[in-house]
Amino acid sequence: MTAPTRDDQAASPERPVALEDEADLDALVETDETVLVEFYTDGCGICASMEPVLGIVAQESDAVIGTINPRDDPPLVDRFDVQSVPLLVVFRDGEPVERVADGFQPAEEVLELIETEA
């Protein structure tokens, strides 16, 4: 089962949106006021453990949650200075305003991250 794409969803989807590449990411952050993007890699255990957390955040927040594997679009690594995963980046009005790359984050802390920047 694959994650839904942005085209599958209405505004503020209740599940994370799977982004394929830089163009998808740019379109999402330009369309929605508040977006949280998780940069992950396949095989990353901590990234996998964030999946249910991001699901909770998607349901409890007005922010749109997206996930992207920067290895699928290498320019993203340089653009967002991805040095470790999972990397969470909050976008507000199309601009990155906050980032956390400290491993696993509980849902409460991710929600606070989004709300703090509101």
Side-chain angles (χ1 to χ4, degrees):
M1 183 173 158
T2 60
T5 62
R6 181 70 178 138
D7 294 335
D8 297 334
Q9 311 248 340
S12 294
E14 293 188 8
R15 297 189 325 184
V17 176
L19 305 170
E20 297 295 322
D21 56 25
E22 188 172 22
D24 282 357
L25 173 63
D26 289 342
L28 182 66
V29 301
E30 289 174 10
T31 302
D32 293 286
E33 181 180 335
T34 303
V35 178
L36 172 73
V37 176
E38 177 200 33
F39 293 82
Y40 73 93
T41 57
D42 294 329
C44 166
I46 296 172
C47 300
S49 69
M50 287 297 298
E51 285 182 33
V53 169
L54 296 176
I56 291 167
V57 172
Q59 291 176 2
E60 294 185 10
S61 159
D62 290 334
V64 175
I65 312 303
T67 61
I68 192 163
N69 185 340
R71 287 186 182 167
D72 292 341
D73 196 348
L76 289 171
V77 173
D78 290 333
R79 179 177 168 191
F80 292 99
D81 192 28
V82 179
Q83 297 182 12
S84 64
V85 291
L87 167 63
L88 302 176
V89 179
V90 177
F91 293 84
R92 183 103 40 231
D93 298 320
E95 295 296 322
V97 295
E98 189 66 61
R99 58 187 283 139
V100 174
D102 295 332
F104 180 83
Q105 301 293 312
E108 298 79 22
E109 290 184 23
V110 177
L111 287 164
E112 285 179 24
L113 177 71
I114 293 169
E115 293 169 7
T116 298
E117 291 300 317

